Amino acid sequence: MTTTRGFAFITVLIAVAGLLMLGGTAYVVTQDSMKAPADQVATMEEKHVQTAPGDHPEVDHDANGGVAASATGKIGINWKFESAGEKDYVPQTKVTAIVSSKPHVVGVFAGTCSEIGPSGGVDGKGLLAGELSGVQCWYAGGGNEIGLFAIEDGGVEIMVGELDEGSAENAGVRGNFKIRTDIKL
């Protein structure tokens, strides 16, 4: 009888250990998939360097060398990211919005910046209502979102908001936008 009882205990112990290993593996996989690899971050930064007319034939440039508004009335929006060194060991990025070929320096932000894609950003929800294009600058669980928002008079506003991943006790934050620049088109 003792042998059966010991066998059952070992079986339960192995099953619990297996579940813990499975849960740990799932945790590691989901955490790694939320971080962009260093080579992917470099590629995202390189994509947004402003180029001269003719460098990219797929982009329609206007006579002044900027990206032209399309025939459907959409404005050309591009982003430029430049390294601004470090401040207190935190990498800094200078962000410039290029709207209808005119550069608008938005400022210097902590962390690495990337444009919000159709499926994403740090929360995976894409652009906000009224946001035409956006960038998120992220470092150590928080940062800023820079967005170009349409306004009723036909122009756009560059607005800067807060980002925070939150914690077990507090929900994350994506909002609290303040107008940085009003652009008349």
Side-chain angles (χ1 to χ4, degrees), residues 124-167:
K125 295 183 180 177
L127 297 171
L128 299 171
E131 193 172 19
L132 303 173
S133 183
V135 167
Q136 291 178 333
C137 299
W138 188 261
Y139 183 80
N144 295 97
E145 180 169 338
I146 301 103
L148 269 75
F149 290 85
I151 53 177
E152 293 177 6
D153 70 358
V156 294
E157 291 175 332
I158 298 175
M159 300 178 78
V160 178
E162 299 172 19
L163 294 171
D164 188 289
E165 70 182 351
S167 65

Side-chain angles (χ1 to χ4, degrees), residues 58-141:
E58 69 277 7
V59 177
D60 183 19
H61 292 276
D62 65 15
N64 298 323
V67 178
S70 71
T72 61
K74 293 182 180 178
I75 58 172
I77 301 170
N78 288 307
W79 296 96
K80 181 179 177 183
F81 305 131
E82 298 175 88
S83 174
E86 288 186 355
K87 180 179 179 184
D88 298 324
Y89 304 105
V90 176
Q92 305 289 306
T93 304
K94 178 181 174 185
V95 177
T96 303
I98 303 166
V99 182
S100 295
S101 77
K102 295 179 184 146
H104 301 275
V105 176
V106 182
V108 176
F109 299 89
T112 303
C113 303
S114 60
E115 190 168 353
I116 301 171
S119 64
V122 296
D123 61 358
K125 295 183 180 177
L127 297 171
L128 299 171
E131 193 172 19
L132 303 173
S133 183
V135 167
Q136 291 178 333
C137 299
W138 188 261
Y139 183 80

